[in-house]
Amino acid sequence: MSKQKNNIVVIGAGYVGLVSGTCFSEFGANVIVADRDKDKIRKLQNGNIPIYEPGLQELVNKNMQSGNLTFKVNYSEYINNSDALFIAVGTPSRRGDGHADLKYVYEVAEEIATNIEKKILIVNKSTVPVGSARKVGGIIKKINSNTEFSVASNPEFLREGSAIEDFMNPDRVIIGVDDEYSEAIMRDLYRPITEKNIPLMFTDPESAELIKYASNAFLATKISFINEISSVCEKTGANVEEVSKGMGYDSRIGDQFLKAGPGYGGSCFPKDTLALVRIAEEHDLNIGVVKAAITANENQKKRMVNKITDALDGSIAEKRIGILGLTFKPETDDMRDSPSITIIKELIKEGAEIIAHDPHGLEEARNLLPDEVKLVESNSEAVIDADGLVLMTEWSEYLNIELEQFKSKMRGDAFIDLRNFLDKEKLESYGFRYFSVGK
Ligand code: UGA
């Protein structure tokens, strides 16, 4: 007898919810992805993906066609038909204090509580402070004390730009559970992962929640560390790329997340490092290393402004600066907390005129950058009459820019590569003065 398909509901059609739901449907589960944003759901029902994420469109189309994946605004009628309900709503930084704002998570818990009639597993996939799984359980118990349920924590480690690959082939899957019932359901849902011999680590919900914050904070610290080392390199004549490479050979250190740049950004590291500091403070703890990583990240952005100013002969007032790349990393349209925002605002404050290009981030950039930034659709438009060019994001299309044409359209000759992405000798051979990070 063939086994019945798992039915799951994923609540929240943001990055994590959309990618996880789609990938679970690819694993063979019947998935409903729900979001109260009617416009977003209508678009998804018509096959329009609200984010740019390589491979996602194809996977959504395929699983919608096979009937494994559907999108809904209301999910309450499907709750009792499900094996598991995944909460994947946003947990933004609370305005003013940096705590993760759990209001959306708690709203979902209340909605679930008023509707459950049979034993059900609720899984937290959103990044939530330690103790949240238990709080969700407490909310449900208070509203609906007669129902049996379990709450698990299953943090997500996918990266924007490679989210599908990260979900399908993760280094590990972390699952915090309190009982065998939850463990059995989660084992079944992740069977395609264990069949590839990828470890599923079962632990308690609190540890699972902290693994997520600790992992992001550690990676952010690694980046801030190498960014600080890059400043030492610049003063001492060392080359940060050589230093990273040499450090990376040590398997205890590893070679990943040691690329110096303009500072980390995105929807996770800035928010999660701050939230971890707040979690510690709630327990009267001062976690200085993570705090220092946050400060170093802010300093790195300031350092980039100084580097640009120095490259433009000490003053940027009334200088025209062309920006190549705005998103916090390539292969995404996400502009949230991108270092480009802070750096550009600072350049404008100092009197510079900004003309900027990004292959996928222009729409979001319009909402987040000051009005005076001129946004252009093609990279060659960003160079016209520019005194200097700043490469902010390492989009692969910038590897193929027409250097001769670029140089001839510019007023000045400074090329400031904040990602150490292009070849110094090549740029110099076209008459550019080339500046990079940590070299
Ligand atoms: C990050 C984590 O890498 C994921 O594991 C995690 O699931 C995710 O946050 C999350 O919590 O949802 P993401 O923010 O998509 O993923 O992007 P990363 O690839 O980690 O890059 C973050 C920032 O660090 C980017 O601005 C990137 O340019 C910067 N970075 C990264 C560096 O400056 N240097 C490096 O060596 C690596």
Side-chain angles (χ1 to χ4, degrees):
M1 199 177 72
S2 71
K3 195 192 154 300
Q4 275 207 322
K5 278 185 173 187
N6 286 304
N7 289 321
I8 64 174
V9 178
V10 178
I11 303 146
Y15 237 104
V16 169
L18 194 52
V19 172
S20 316
T22 305
C23 291
F24 277 130
S25 72
E26 178 71 10
F27 285 171
N30 257 327
V31 180
I32 292 170
V33 174
D35 199 296
R36 65 176 174 192
D37 182 339
K38 292 195 181 93
D39 190 44
K40 191 189 261 187
I41 291 297
R42 198 172 322 113
K43 284 186 181 143
L44 283 163
Q45 285 166 339
N46 292 326
N48 298 321
I49 309 294
I51 49 176
Y52 173 70
E53 179 62 41
L56 186 58
Q57 180 78 61
E58 293 78 358
L59 217 57
V60 167
N61 291 350
K62 180 181 161 203
N63 287 289
M64 278 177 80
Q65 271 160 22
S66 71
N68 275 3
L69 179 63
T70 41
F71 297 99
K72 307 270 181 208
V73 175
N74 295 314
Y75 57 90
S76 49
E77 62 185 286
Y78 304 98
I79 289 178
N80 294 301
N81 200 16
S82 307
D83 300 295
L85 302 169
F86 282 80
I87 304 180
V89 293
T91 52
S93 275
R94 208 160 60 189
R95 212 175 275 252
D97 64 8
H99 280 278
D101 190 343
L102 294 188
K103 108 175 150 210
Y104 304 116
V105 173
Y106 295 157
E107 278 170 20
V108 172
E110 285 165 16
E111 166 95 18
I112 294 171
T114 47
N115 287 288
I116 34 173
E117 290 161 4
K118 71 165 207 15
K119 183 160 183 177
I120 226 155
L121 170 63
I122 296 132
V123 189
N124 241 334
K125 226 177 194 341
S126 304
T127 301
V128 286
V130 185
S132 298
R134 279 203 212 282
K135 274 201 189 137
V136 165
I139 291 173
I140 296 173
K141 192 108 228 134
K142 206 164 153 197
I143 297 176
N144 193 338
S145 56
N146 299 325
T147 323
E148 266 194 273
F149 64 89
S150 294
V151 183
S153 163
N154 174 213
E156 190 43 66
F157 297 95
L158 54 85
R159 284 165 300 178
E160 294 186 15
S162 55
I164 307 282
E165 171 62 19
D166 286 349
F167 192 95
M168 296 290 190
N169 291 298
D171 290 334
R172 77 318 201 179
V173 174
I174 302 292
I175 303 170
V177 291
D178 279 327
D179 53 30
E180 284 172 10
Y181 162 80
S182 313
E183 184 172 332
I185 294 176
M186 295 303 277
R187 263 194 208 288
D188 203 33
L189 278 174
Y190 278 107
R191 195 165 305 281
I193 293 283
T194 39
E195 279 168 0
K196 293 188 222 177
N197 290 326
I198 295 168
L200 286 196
M201 175 177 157
F202 283 94
T203 180
D204 56 278
E206 284 75 12
S207 299
E209 288 164 342
L210 194 53
I211 287 168
K212 170 68 190 188
Y213 278 108
S215 301
N216 271 1
F218 189 84
L219 292 169
T221 304
K222 222 174 159 187
I223 298 167
S224 274
F225 181 86
I226 202 66
N227 281 340
E228 282 199 334
I229 294 294
S230 78
S231 69
V232 180
C233 289
E234 286 174 17
K235 295 287 181 201
T236 55
N239 177 334
V240 75
E241 297 208 308
E242 295 294 306
V243 175
S244 299
K245 192 173 162 191
M247 287 170 66
Y249 280 125
D250 186 329
S251 59
R252 295 169 302 175
I253 298 173
D255 60 357
Q256 294 190 54
F257 279 67
L258 280 182
K259 269 188 75 58
Y264 60 76
S267 65
C268 305
F269 288 173
K271 162 175 85 71
D272 293 351
T273 43
L274 206 57
L276 184 55
V277 168
R278 297 290 175 258
I279 291 169
E281 281 171 357
E282 270 179 10
H283 298 277
D284 294 325
L285 299 167
N286 178 19
I287 49 169
V289 173
V290 181
K291 277 188 185 169
I294 297 170
T295 307
N297 199 48
E298 293 312 309
N299 291 344
Q300 187 70 359
K301 291 183 242 179
K302 286 186 202 134
R303 234 167 55 73
M304 297 301 107
V305 174
N306 293 340
K307 181 184 284 296
I308 295 165
T309 310
D310 289 348
L312 293 174
D313 306 322
S315 165
I316 51 173
E318 289 175 33
K319 297 237 167 96
R320 189 177 166 101
I321 302 176
I323 307 279
L324 299 175
L326 292 166
T327 51
F328 78 102
K329 62 188 269 187
E331 299 304 328
T332 177
D333 56 358
D334 202 339
M335 282 289 297
R336 282 176 289 180
D337 263 315
S338 177
S340 68
I341 301 174
T342 318
I343 295 171
I344 287 174
K345 282 186 178 165
E346 206 51 43
L347 295 174
I348 289 177
K349 216 160 91 192
E350 297 297 320
E353 185 195 345
I354 303 293
I355 175 159
H357 170 261
D358 191 277
H360 288 278
L362 292 183
E363 209 176 308
E364 269 209 48
R366 262 186 202 108
N367 303 323
L368 293 170
L369 289 174
D371 290 342
E372 50 265 60
V373 176
K374 188 171 177 212
L375 298 171
V376 291
E377 303 275 343
S378 89
N379 58 43
S380 59
E381 286 174 79
V383 304
I384 300 169
D385 294 335
D387 294 288
L389 291 180
V390 178
L391 191 147
M392 199 84 80
T393 317
E394 66 277 37
W395 284 98
S396 56
E397 74 166 61
Y398 300 144
L399 288 172
N400 302 318
I401 49 182
E402 293 287 342
L403 290 171
E404 193 169 345
Q405 197 198 75
F406 265 40
K407 180 72 186 37
S408 67
K409 284 184 179 172
M410 283 174 68
R411 191 157 56 204
D413 58 4
F415 196 111
I416 305 122
D417 181 357
L418 301 187
R419 297 285 182 170
N420 294 341
F421 192 49
L422 301 184
D423 186 56
K424 178 177 191 279
E425 276 75 40
K426 193 168 165 200
L427 271 122
E428 285 177 348
S429 74
Y430 283 92
F432 285 100
R433 285 183 301 127
Y434 180 79
F435 303 86
S436 52
V437 180
K439 294 198 252 185

